[in-house]
Amino acid sequence: AQIAVSKCPACPACPECQHKPCPACELSCPKIPECPSIAAAPAASQPDDAEVVARHRTKMLARDMVNIAECKPGQVCRADALNRSRVIGQKGITLWMTGLSGSGKTTIAEALERRLLYKLGKNVFRIDGDNLRTGLTKDLGFSPDDRAESVRRASHVAALFSEAGVITMVTLISPYRKDRDAARALHEKQGIPFMEVFMDVPLSVVQARDPKGLYKKVAKGLIKGFTGVDAPYEAPLHAELTLKNSELPVEQCVDQLVMALTAAGALSGHAMPDGLTPPDGGVHINRITTAPEALLARRKEAETLPKVPLTDIDVNWLQVVGEGWAAPLRGFMREGTLVQTLHFNSVLHDPNNVTGDYNSATTDWMQSSFPRERVSSPVPIVLPVTDFTRRQIAGAGAVALTNAAGVALAILRSPEVYELRVRELIHRTFGMTDDEHPYVKELLKPGKDYAVGGEVELLGKITYNDGLDAYRLTAEELRAAFKAKGADVVYAFQTRNPTHAGHAFLMKDSRQKLMARGYKKPVLWLSPLGGWTKASDVPLDVRVKQHQEVMAAGELHPDWTVMAIWPSPMIYAGPTEVQFHAKSRRAGGASYFTVGRDPAGMPYSSDGPGHEEGDDIYHPDHGRYALMSSPGVGGMQFLGFSKVYYDKKDHTMRGKDESRPDDFISISGSKMRKLAALAAKPCPPTIPSDLIASKCIPPGFMVQKGWEIVSDYYIRQKTGDWVPYSKQLGGLPLAPNMRSSAEQPFGKVAFTAHFVGADGAQISPWHNLALYPTASEPSFVNFVCEIPRGATAKLEVQKEKPFNPIMQDTKKGALRYYTYGASFFNYGMLPQTWEDPAKKGFNGTVGDNDPLDVMDLSSRTCKVGEMRKVKILGDLELIDQGELDHKIIVVDAEDPLAASASSAADLPAGVVPKLVEWLKRYKTTDGKPENKLASDTPTSAARAAEVVKECHESWQALKARGAGTTGFWLG
């Protein structure tokens, strides 16, 4: 009747309401079939309540917002997402899980929630469609508009949770693509990670599952407009992850989701721009100065700084900290960092600098406010120095770290010098007493009673010039190499031994395990340890060349293998050290670490309380167990394995089959070494039980060319020219008149630097170079530099070698170095002089049978073999085992000091006492007693000139009578 009234022209319109009959109107339309003035029209449908509400909602959502001051991420009113995620240890992300009803959204989300919360300790929340409909979306139906609004509300709620750092799962059917795209757009606008996860399950499967019985109701006609049946479902076109969970078990689906979250950085809270796992602490450390202008400026700065000399082990550790392998450490440990490492195997970390640059501040023993974040730090990384060095760098704002050639490798800023409590360090790191342990023995070397801590700046990338630098990739270079191979996960395998088929089996098996977890392109990091190792270990170059052959043979295919040297020294600290091995691999992007029995372990090197030499220091199973249960592993996961054996039946290495134990042979490392030394050949088809007696190696045990490399080493172990570990070669500054062999560079025992004349022919610096520049000036002489200022290699002219080249001294086949501290003078010899042992000196001492030694105090650093005109200032007479060894003090004739100094007494204050101390004590760090001087006061310049003249006359007499039984080469 109301419709009829509203359509009838005879009925007056309501003056107040155009769409409803006016309540005050008493007129009524005539009851006639149709309106007299128009044809009868069908009744128009009124919009239902849901449609009216939807239209109103659309209008309200489209209106402009005024007087709203939204607090956006990064503003003062709200912490930015990056800092928030670092602090809470995870990154907020929305997992939008879409699919048909019964496609497994809730089941998989619940399993993922349990994994993240209980196993990984992550804050996670699930927004489920059914739960929303009891509250937030209770007012919505199932119309397209209401479905869109349900998605909109869920996406806003999810965005709030994710922005707060919560891993948020939304499990909505959300059938329409445009609605899901709107949810994605909302997250992208706010800079919040969004991952669409499509549960790709056929309709027939979900109908068979029917967990809520809804499909049965649909089939009976009780439910209309059901998604996927008689209402559309628009599958995602570009979902980040598609799970065909009808073909996969739930746990495998969860594995894939965890993998995706890991790659997105959600489980660490740290940025992952390359998709690989971040370093410990989440901060990529790279302290290498590469920009040409900055590098030049820093090198010039280094020339002006006090010097701290480095040993081979120190250089290895410098590379470790400078390239970021010990992240977040940025240099050698300060004392507070060392104390934490020794007591907690971890250090506090302040990536947000809320405690005033805690990580680079000098240790404050009264500090009361500390960072809350702690990262793994299992082993001490310290720079030991002598008391002499401590005093030389006192008060300096920066020091130069120099190698054996005196070349500055780095600048260490704000040095903190502290007492190094070596015994405490040993006991807490190694947990045992064995002074003959190879690394402990290095720590116990006398004189290094202090340590220097501070942040470093490398003066370019550290190289070793040993033919292996191509395999020394920085952490950044290594990560780029993994991405170039398309890696979606990296697993590391460390080795300090040649790779046999057992190792290859384990590496390939690890790869298969990762692929079974859903990874598409696992890449192996074959990671030979490159730093210092004990003398009995296989040399680095042998291992690298053998690994190359294993890869060339396809045992470890180059398509999925990257061989890159890990630069750390080996300290043989068992369960403690292996934690560092694993932690450090994270810097290179590794998420998994393959670990076996007795990692980083070794036998005792001496008898002691409760043990005998040869006993295992650590239980073979403890290292792996300690690593896999360590609280400091972060996101690193492990692929453990047990011992493998050679299977005589199918000629492979594998785990033992206990049902046929007689088919398996154990080939230990010692047995392999014996077979290699015997040049063992391939065994006959019937494998003998005693391989040693048969002098044969089973087929398939090792790639043949690789075996030949290993065998060659053990056959020529004592005569070959090997690269034992990463040890810098070359780099020694030579004068233009010097020639050396590229095949035997500085750093090798056979290094030889020959002098040549103007015509290029070899000459002798001892016999062919003149002592006096001019005969009329006896106070000036020619000085030949053997050891440049700052260098520590003990270089000297060789009296017995033809043409008397400069070589480095050796003792028992090992190169010798000055270990007391960086020399502050150029050291060398005077040509055409000889301290005759037949002549008596102070208190009955005799000459030391060498050319005269010289200490040049010029400000200029000489090059090896360089000859300079110098002024004689005095002489310090060193008494060494009954010999009198003159040390002539000089200054370069062109140095400003030469014009003002007539004797050693004219040298700047403190120089002579420092010379005296050096000469007396430089051998103490080799475990020898102090030297003695005839006097702590240098002789006069005139007396020193007389000594030079006398020794020149002795040389002339030597030349005149010939070498005799001396063994000298006299030309």
Coordinates of all heavy atoms in Angstrom, one line a residue, residues 697-761:
I697 N 95.7 -48.0 -1.6 CA 94.6 -47.2 -1.1 C 93.3 -47.7 -1.8 O 93.3 -47.9 -3.1 CB 94.9 -45.7 -1.5 CG1 93.9 -44.8 -0.8 CG2 94.9 -45.4 -3.0 CD1 94.1 -44.6 0.7
P698 N 92.2 -47.9 -1.1 CA 91.0 -48.4 -1.7 C 90.4 -47.5 -2.8 O 90.5 -46.2 -2.7 CB 90.0 -48.5 -0.6 CG 90.8 -48.5 0.6 CD 92.0 -47.7 0.3
P699 N 89.9 -48.0 -3.9 CA 89.3 -47.2 -5.0 C 88.1 -46.4 -4.4 O 87.4 -46.9 -3.6 CB 88.9 -48.2 -6.0 CG 88.8 -49.5 -5.3 CD 89.8 -49.4 -4.2
G700 N 88.1 -45.1 -4.8 CA 87.0 -44.3 -4.3 C 87.2 -43.6 -3.0 O 86.4 -42.8 -2.5
F701 N 88.4 -43.9 -2.3 CA 88.6 -43.3 -1.1 C 88.9 -41.8 -1.3 O 88.5 -40.9 -0.5 CB 89.8 -43.9 -0.4 CG 90.3 -43.2 0.8 CD1 89.5 -43.1 2.0 CD2 91.5 -42.4 0.8 CE1 90.0 -42.4 3.1 CE2 91.9 -41.7 1.9 CZ 91.1 -41.7 3.1
M702 N 89.6 -41.4 -2.3 CA 89.9 -40.0 -2.6 C 90.1 -39.9 -4.1 O 90.6 -40.8 -4.8 CB 91.2 -39.6 -1.9 CG 91.5 -38.1 -2.0 SD 93.1 -37.6 -1.2 CE 92.6 -37.8 0.5
V703 N 89.7 -38.7 -4.7 CA 90.0 -38.4 -6.1 C 91.4 -38.7 -6.4 O 92.3 -38.2 -5.6 CB 89.6 -37.0 -6.4 CG1 90.0 -36.5 -7.7 CG2 88.1 -36.8 -6.2
Q704 N 91.7 -39.4 -7.5 CA 93.1 -39.8 -7.7 C 94.1 -38.7 -7.8 O 95.2 -38.7 -7.2 CB 93.1 -40.6 -9.0 CG 94.5 -41.2 -9.4 CD 95.1 -42.1 -8.3 OE1 94.3 -42.9 -7.6 NE2 96.4 -42.1 -8.1
K705 N 93.8 -37.6 -8.5 CA 94.7 -36.5 -8.6 C 94.9 -35.8 -7.3 O 96.0 -35.3 -6.9 CB 94.3 -35.5 -9.7 CG 94.4 -36.0 -11.1 CD 94.1 -34.9 -12.1 CE 94.3 -35.4 -13.5 NZ 94.0 -34.4 -14.5
G706 N 93.8 -35.8 -6.5 CA 93.9 -35.3 -5.1 C 94.8 -36.1 -4.3 O 95.6 -35.6 -3.5
W707 N 94.7 -37.4 -4.4 CA 95.6 -38.4 -3.7 C 97.0 -38.2 -4.0 O 97.9 -38.2 -3.2 CB 95.1 -39.8 -3.9 CG 96.1 -40.8 -3.3 CD1 97.0 -41.6 -3.9 CD2 96.2 -41.0 -1.9 NE1 97.6 -42.4 -3.0 CE2 97.2 -42.0 -1.7 CE3 95.6 -40.5 -0.7 CZ2 97.6 -42.5 -0.5 CZ3 96.0 -41.0 0.5 CH2 96.9 -42.0 0.6
E708 N 97.3 -37.9 -5.3 CA 98.7 -37.7 -5.8 C 99.3 -36.5 -5.1 O 100.5 -36.5 -4.8 CB 98.7 -37.6 -7.3 CG 98.4 -39.0 -8.0 CD 98.2 -38.8 -9.5 OE1 98.3 -37.7 -10.0 OE2 97.8 -39.8 -10.1
I709 N 98.5 -35.4 -4.9 CA 99.0 -34.2 -4.3 C 99.3 -34.5 -2.8 O 100.3 -34.1 -2.3 CB 97.9 -33.1 -4.4 CG1 97.8 -32.6 -5.9 CG2 98.2 -31.9 -3.5 CD1 96.7 -31.7 -6.1
V710 N 98.4 -35.2 -2.2 CA 98.6 -35.5 -0.7 C 99.9 -36.4 -0.6 O 100.7 -36.2 0.3 CB 97.4 -36.2 -0.1 CG1 97.7 -36.6 1.3 CG2 96.2 -35.2 -0.2
S711 N 100.0 -37.4 -1.4 CA 101.1 -38.3 -1.4 C 102.4 -37.6 -1.6 O 103.4 -37.9 -0.9 CB 100.9 -39.5 -2.4 OG 101.9 -40.4 -2.3
D712 N 102.4 -36.7 -2.6 CA 103.6 -36.0 -2.9 C 104.1 -35.2 -1.7 O 105.3 -35.1 -1.4 CB 103.4 -35.0 -4.1 CG 104.6 -34.2 -4.4 OD1 105.6 -34.7 -4.7 OD2 104.4 -32.9 -4.2
Y713 N 103.1 -34.6 -1.0 CA 103.5 -33.8 0.2 C 104.2 -34.7 1.3 O 105.2 -34.4 1.8 CB 102.3 -33.1 0.8 CG 102.5 -32.7 2.3 CD1 103.4 -31.7 2.5 CD2 101.9 -33.3 3.3 CE1 103.7 -31.3 3.8 CE2 102.2 -32.9 4.6 CZ 103.1 -31.9 4.9 OH 103.4 -31.6 6.2
Y714 N 103.6 -35.8 1.6 CA 104.1 -36.7 2.6 C 105.4 -37.3 2.2 O 106.3 -37.6 3.1 CB 103.1 -37.7 3.1 CG 102.0 -37.2 4.0 CD1 100.7 -37.0 3.5 CD2 102.4 -36.8 5.3 CE1 99.8 -36.4 4.4 CE2 101.4 -36.3 6.1 CZ 100.1 -36.1 5.7 OH 99.2 -35.5 6.5
I715 N 105.6 -37.5 1.0 CA 106.9 -38.0 0.5 C 108.0 -37.0 0.6 O 109.1 -37.2 1.0 CB 106.8 -38.5 -1.0 CG1 105.9 -39.8 -1.0 CG2 108.2 -38.9 -1.5 CD1 105.6 -40.2 -2.4
R716 N 107.7 -35.7 0.3 CA 108.7 -34.6 0.3 C 108.4 -33.6 1.4 O 108.7 -32.5 1.3 CB 108.6 -33.8 -1.1 CG 108.9 -34.7 -2.3 CD 109.1 -33.8 -3.5 NE 107.9 -33.0 -3.8 CZ 107.9 -31.7 -3.8 NH1 109.0 -31.0 -3.5 NH2 106.8 -31.0 -4.1
Q717 N 107.8 -34.1 2.5 CA 107.4 -33.3 3.6 C 108.5 -32.4 4.1 O 108.3 -31.2 4.4 CB 106.9 -34.2 4.7 CG 106.3 -33.4 5.9 CD 105.6 -34.3 6.9 OE1 105.6 -35.5 6.7 NE2 105.0 -33.7 7.9
K718 N 109.7 -32.9 4.2 CA 110.8 -32.1 4.8 C 111.7 -31.4 3.8 O 112.5 -30.6 4.2 CB 111.7 -33.1 5.7 CG 111.0 -33.6 6.9 CD 111.9 -34.5 7.7 CE 111.2 -35.0 9.0 NZ 112.0 -35.9 9.8
T719 N 111.5 -31.7 2.5 CA 112.3 -31.1 1.5 C 111.5 -30.1 0.6 O 112.1 -29.3 -0.1 CB 113.0 -32.2 0.6 OG1 112.0 -33.0 0.0 CG2 113.9 -33.1 1.5
G720 N 110.2 -30.2 0.6 CA 109.4 -29.4 -0.3 C 109.3 -28.0 0.2 O 109.6 -27.6 1.3
D721 N 108.9 -27.1 -0.7 CA 108.7 -25.7 -0.4 C 107.2 -25.4 -0.3 O 106.5 -25.2 -1.2 CB 109.3 -24.8 -1.5 CG 109.2 -23.3 -1.2 OD1 108.9 -23.0 0.0 OD2 109.4 -22.5 -2.1
W722 N 106.7 -25.5 1.0 CA 105.2 -25.4 1.2 C 104.8 -24.1 1.8 O 105.6 -23.3 2.3 CB 104.8 -26.6 2.2 CG 105.5 -27.9 1.9 CD1 106.5 -28.5 2.6 CD2 105.2 -28.7 0.8 NE1 106.8 -29.7 2.0 CE2 106.0 -29.9 0.9 CE3 104.3 -28.6 -0.3 CZ2 106.0 -30.9 -0.1 CZ3 104.3 -29.7 -1.2 CH2 105.1 -30.8 -1.1
V723 N 103.5 -23.9 1.7 CA 102.9 -22.7 2.3 C 102.1 -23.3 3.5 O 101.0 -23.8 3.4 CB 101.9 -22.0 1.4 CG1 101.2 -20.8 2.2 CG2 102.6 -21.4 0.2
P724 N 102.7 -23.2 4.7 CA 102.1 -23.9 5.9 C 100.8 -23.3 6.3 O 99.8 -24.0 6.7 CB 103.2 -23.8 7.0 CG 104.0 -22.6 6.6 CD 104.0 -22.6 5.1
Y725 N 100.7 -22.0 6.2 CA 99.5 -21.3 6.6 C 99.6 -19.9 6.0 O 100.5 -19.6 5.3 CB 99.3 -21.2 8.1 CG 100.5 -20.7 8.8 CD1 100.7 -19.3 9.0 CD2 101.5 -21.5 9.4 CE1 101.9 -18.8 9.6 CE2 102.6 -21.1 10.0 CZ 102.8 -19.7 10.1 OH 103.9 -19.2 10.8
S726 N 98.6 -19.1 6.2 CA 98.6 -17.7 5.7 C 99.7 -16.9 6.3 O 99.5 -16.4 7.4 CB 97.2 -17.0 5.8 OG 96.2 -17.7 5.1
K727 N 100.8 -16.7 5.6 CA 101.9 -16.0 6.1 C 102.3 -15.0 5.0 O 102.6 -15.4 3.9 CB 103.1 -17.0 6.4 CG 104.4 -16.4 6.7 CD 105.5 -17.5 6.8 CE 106.9 -16.9 7.0 NZ 107.0 -16.1 8.2
Q728 N 102.4 -13.7 5.3 CA 102.7 -12.7 4.3 C 104.1 -12.9 3.7 O 105.1 -13.1 4.4 CB 102.6 -11.3 4.9 CG 101.1 -10.9 5.1 CD 101.0 -9.4 5.3 OE1 101.7 -8.9 6.2 NE2 100.1 -8.8 4.6
L729 N 104.1 -12.9 2.4 CA 105.4 -13.0 1.6 C 105.6 -11.7 0.8 O 104.6 -11.1 0.4 CB 105.3 -14.2 0.6 CG 105.1 -15.6 1.3 CD1 105.0 -16.7 0.2 CD2 106.2 -15.9 2.3
G730 N 106.8 -11.4 0.6 CA 107.1 -10.2 -0.1 C 106.9 -8.9 0.7 O 106.7 -9.0 1.9
G731 N 106.8 -7.8 0.0 CA 106.5 -6.5 0.7 C 107.7 -5.8 1.3 O 107.6 -4.7 1.8
L732 N 108.9 -6.5 1.3 CA 110.0 -5.9 1.9 C 110.6 -4.8 1.0 O 110.8 -5.0 -0.2 CB 111.1 -6.9 2.2 CG 112.3 -6.5 3.0 CD1 112.0 -6.2 4.4 CD2 113.4 -7.5 2.9
P733 N 110.7 -3.5 1.5 CA 111.2 -2.5 0.6 C 112.6 -2.6 0.3 O 113.5 -2.6 1.1 CB 110.9 -1.2 1.5 CG 110.9 -1.7 2.9 CD 110.4 -3.1 2.8
L734 N 112.9 -2.9 -1.0 CA 114.3 -3.1 -1.5 C 114.8 -1.9 -2.2 O 114.0 -1.2 -2.9 CB 114.4 -4.3 -2.4 CG 114.0 -5.7 -1.8 CD1 114.1 -6.7 -2.9 CD2 114.9 -6.0 -0.6
A735 N 116.1 -1.6 -2.0 CA 116.7 -0.5 -2.8 C 116.7 -0.8 -4.3 O 116.7 -2.0 -4.6 CB 118.1 -0.2 -2.2
P736 N 116.8 0.2 -5.1 CA 116.8 -0.1 -6.6 C 118.0 -1.0 -7.0 O 117.9 -1.6 -8.1 CB 116.9 1.3 -7.2 CG 116.4 2.2 -6.2 CD 116.8 1.6 -4.9
N737 N 119.1 -1.0 -6.3 CA 120.3 -1.8 -6.7 C 120.2 -3.2 -6.2 O 121.2 -3.9 -6.2 CB 121.5 -1.1 -6.1 CG 121.5 -1.0 -4.6 OD1 120.6 -0.4 -4.0 ND2 122.5 -1.6 -3.9
M738 N 119.0 -3.6 -5.7 CA 118.8 -5.0 -5.1 C 118.0 -5.8 -6.1 O 117.1 -5.4 -6.7 CB 118.2 -4.9 -3.8 CG 118.9 -4.1 -2.7 SD 120.6 -4.7 -2.4 CE 120.2 -6.2 -1.5
R739 N 118.3 -7.1 -6.1 CA 117.6 -8.1 -7.0 C 117.2 -9.3 -6.1 O 118.1 -9.8 -5.4 CB 118.4 -8.5 -8.2 CG 118.8 -7.4 -9.1 CD 117.6 -6.8 -9.9 NE 118.1 -5.8 -10.8 CZ 118.2 -4.5 -10.5 NH1 117.8 -4.1 -9.2 NH2 118.5 -3.6 -11.4
S740 N 116.0 -9.7 -6.2 CA 115.6 -11.0 -5.5 C 114.7 -11.8 -6.5 O 114.2 -11.3 -7.5 CB 114.8 -10.6 -4.2 OG 113.6 -10.0 -4.6
S741 N 114.5 -13.0 -6.1 CA 113.7 -14.0 -6.9 C 112.2 -13.9 -6.5 O 111.9 -14.0 -5.4 CB 114.2 -15.4 -6.7 OG 113.4 -16.3 -7.3
A742 N 111.3 -13.9 -7.5 CA 109.9 -13.9 -7.3 C 109.5 -15.2 -6.7 O 108.5 -15.3 -6.0 CB 109.1 -13.6 -8.6
E743 N 110.2 -16.3 -7.1 CA 109.9 -17.6 -6.6 C 110.3 -17.8 -5.1 O 109.7 -18.7 -4.4 CB 110.6 -18.7 -7.4 CG 110.1 -18.9 -8.8 CD 110.4 -17.7 -9.7 OE1 111.5 -17.1 -9.5 OE2 109.7 -17.4 -10.7
Q744 N 111.2 -17.0 -4.6 CA 111.6 -17.1 -3.2 C 111.5 -15.7 -2.6 O 112.6 -15.1 -2.3 CB 113.0 -17.7 -3.1 CG 113.2 -19.1 -3.7 CD 112.4 -20.1 -2.9 OE1 112.1 -19.9 -1.7 NE2 112.0 -21.2 -3.5
P745 N 110.3 -15.2 -2.4 CA 110.2 -13.8 -1.9 C 110.5 -13.8 -0.4 O 110.7 -14.8 0.3 CB 108.7 -13.6 -2.1 CG 108.0 -14.9 -2.0 CD 109.0 -15.9 -2.6
F746 N 110.6 -12.5 0.1 CA 110.8 -12.3 1.5 C 109.7 -13.1 2.3 O 108.5 -13.0 2.0 CB 110.7 -10.8 1.8 CG 110.6 -10.5 3.3 CD1 111.7 -10.7 4.1 CD2 109.5 -10.0 3.9 CE1 111.7 -10.5 5.5 CE2 109.4 -9.7 5.2 CZ 110.5 -10.0 6.0
G747 N 110.1 -13.7 3.4 CA 109.2 -14.6 4.1 C 109.4 -16.0 4.0 O 108.9 -16.8 4.7
K748 N 110.2 -16.4 2.9 CA 110.6 -17.8 2.8 C 112.1 -17.9 3.2 O 112.9 -16.9 3.1 CB 110.5 -18.2 1.3 CG 109.0 -18.4 0.9 CD 108.8 -19.2 -0.3 CE 107.4 -19.6 -0.6 NZ 107.2 -20.6 -1.7
V749 N 112.5 -19.1 3.6 CA 113.8 -19.3 4.1 C 114.9 -19.0 3.0 O 115.9 -18.5 3.3 CB 114.0 -20.8 4.6 CG1 115.4 -21.1 4.9 CG2 113.1 -21.0 5.8
A750 N 114.5 -19.3 1.8 CA 115.5 -19.1 0.7 C 115.5 -17.7 0.1 O 116.2 -17.5 -0.9 CB 115.2 -20.1 -0.4
F751 N 114.8 -16.8 0.7 CA 114.8 -15.4 0.2 C 116.3 -14.9 0.2 O 117.0 -15.0 1.2 CB 114.0 -14.5 1.1 CG 114.2 -13.0 0.9 CD1 113.8 -12.4 -0.3 CD2 114.9 -12.3 1.8 CE1 114.0 -11.1 -0.5 CE2 115.2 -11.0 1.7 CZ 114.7 -10.3 0.5
T752 N 116.6 -14.3 -0.9 CA 118.0 -13.8 -1.1 C 117.9 -12.5 -1.9 O 117.3 -12.4 -2.9 CB 118.9 -14.8 -1.9 OG1 118.8 -16.1 -1.2 CG2 120.3 -14.3 -2.0
A753 N 118.5 -11.4 -1.3 CA 118.6 -10.1 -2.0 C 120.0 -9.8 -2.4 O 120.9 -9.7 -1.5 CB 118.0 -9.1 -1.1
H754 N 120.3 -9.8 -3.7 CA 121.6 -9.6 -4.2 C 121.8 -8.1 -4.6 O 120.9 -7.4 -5.0 CB 121.9 -10.4 -5.5 CG 122.0 -11.9 -5.2 ND1 123.1 -12.5 -4.8 CD2 121.0 -12.9 -5.4 CE1 122.9 -13.8 -4.7 NE2 121.7 -14.1 -5.0
F755 N 123.1 -7.7 -4.4 CA 123.5 -6.3 -4.8 C 124.0 -6.4 -6.2 O 124.7 -7.3 -6.6 CB 124.6 -5.8 -3.9 CG 124.2 -5.5 -2.5 CD1 123.9 -6.5 -1.6 CD2 124.1 -4.2 -2.0 CE1 123.5 -6.2 -0.3 CE2 123.7 -3.9 -0.7 CZ 123.4 -4.9 0.1
V756 N 123.6 -5.4 -7.0 CA 124.2 -5.3 -8.4 C 124.8 -3.9 -8.6 O 124.4 -2.9 -8.0 CB 123.1 -5.5 -9.4 CG1 122.5 -7.0 -9.3 CG2 121.9 -4.5 -9.3
G757 N 125.7 -3.9 -9.5 CA 126.4 -2.6 -9.8 C 125.6 -1.9 -10.9 O 124.6 -2.3 -11.4
A758 N 126.3 -0.8 -11.4 CA 125.6 0.0 -12.4 C 125.4 -0.8 -13.7 O 124.5 -0.5 -14.5 CB 126.5 1.2 -12.7
D759 N 126.3 -1.8 -13.9 CA 126.2 -2.6 -15.2 C 125.3 -3.8 -15.0 O 125.1 -4.7 -15.9 CB 127.6 -3.1 -15.6 CG 128.3 -4.0 -14.5 OD1 127.7 -4.1 -13.4 OD2 129.4 -4.5 -14.7
G760 N 124.7 -4.0 -13.8 CA 123.7 -5.1 -13.6 C 124.4 -6.3 -13.1 O 123.7 -7.3 -12.7
A761 N 125.7 -6.3 -13.0 CA 126.4 -7.5 -12.5 C 126.4 -7.5 -10.9 O 126.4 -6.5 -10.3 CB 127.8 -7.5 -13.0

